[in-house]
Amino acid sequence: MNKQEAKSQSSLAFLEKLEEVIQERIAKPAPDSYVAALVRGGNRRRAQKVGEEAVELAIAAAAGDRQEQIEEAADLLFHLLVLLNCNDIRIADVTDVLLRRQRQHPRSS
């Protein structure tokens, strides 16, 4: 495994661990938990947050601000994970679709 593959696996493992934490906070909401506040806000509020973060990422990309894009992408991924997990969808479900698409349309060498 090369460095890039190792980094990719490490990044995916982190997202899976973050997803576990989100699932725990959904199952056992603490009053001061941001995830719990998003859960209490309902699906419409969670979807709104995903939309807001996506727009902020798009604006950062249009401005060409690399660091801002990274920060907003992190916010978007977090809120997307919360939204998906509240709807019983896991990151593995999403990556399965991406893998299937890649197999159906492999990149030409």
Side-chain angles (χ1 to χ4, degrees), residues 33-97:
S33 164
Y34 181 62
V35 172
L38 289 170
V39 171
R40 286 190 303 273
N43 213 41
R44 173 171 267 164
R45 177 67 180 139
R46 292 186 295 272
Q48 178 185 22
K49 288 300 295 179
V50 169
E52 287 173 11
E53 298 303 340
V55 168
E56 290 173 5
L57 174 56
I59 292 168
D65 186 330
R66 184 178 190 281
Q67 188 58 41
E68 183 81 12
Q69 289 175 68
I70 293 168
E71 296 288 332
E72 295 302 341
D75 291 347
L76 176 57
L77 282 172
F78 173 79
H79 286 91
L80 181 60
L81 284 173
V82 173
L83 175 71
L84 293 174
N85 277 269
C86 283
N87 290 305
D88 200 29
I89 300 169
R90 305 293 176 257
I91 191 75
D93 299 322
V94 176
T95 56
D96 287 349
V97 170

Side-chain angles (χ1 to χ4, degrees), residues 2-50:
N2 66 33
K3 275 186 169 182
Q4 186 61 34
E5 288 170 335
K7 186 175 180 181
S8 291
Q9 282 196 329
S10 174
S11 297
L12 183 55
F14 172 77
L15 288 176
E16 290 170 338
K17 179 61 181 161
L18 177 60
E19 185 173 62
E20 288 175 16
V21 171
I22 289 168
Q23 289 171 0
E24 289 171 13
R25 293 188 181 162
I26 290 169
K28 298 176 188 172
D32 59 342
S33 164
Y34 181 62
V35 172
L38 289 170
V39 171
R40 286 190 303 273
N43 213 41
R44 173 171 267 164
R45 177 67 180 139
R46 292 186 295 272
Q48 178 185 22
K49 288 300 295 179
V50 169

Side-chain angles (χ1 to χ4, degrees), residues 96-107:
D96 287 349
V97 170
L98 293 170
L99 287 168
R100 186 178 70 242
R101 289 177 182 174
Q102 183 183 36
R103 285 187 209 111
Q104 290 172 348
H105 306 286
R107 187 170 51 164

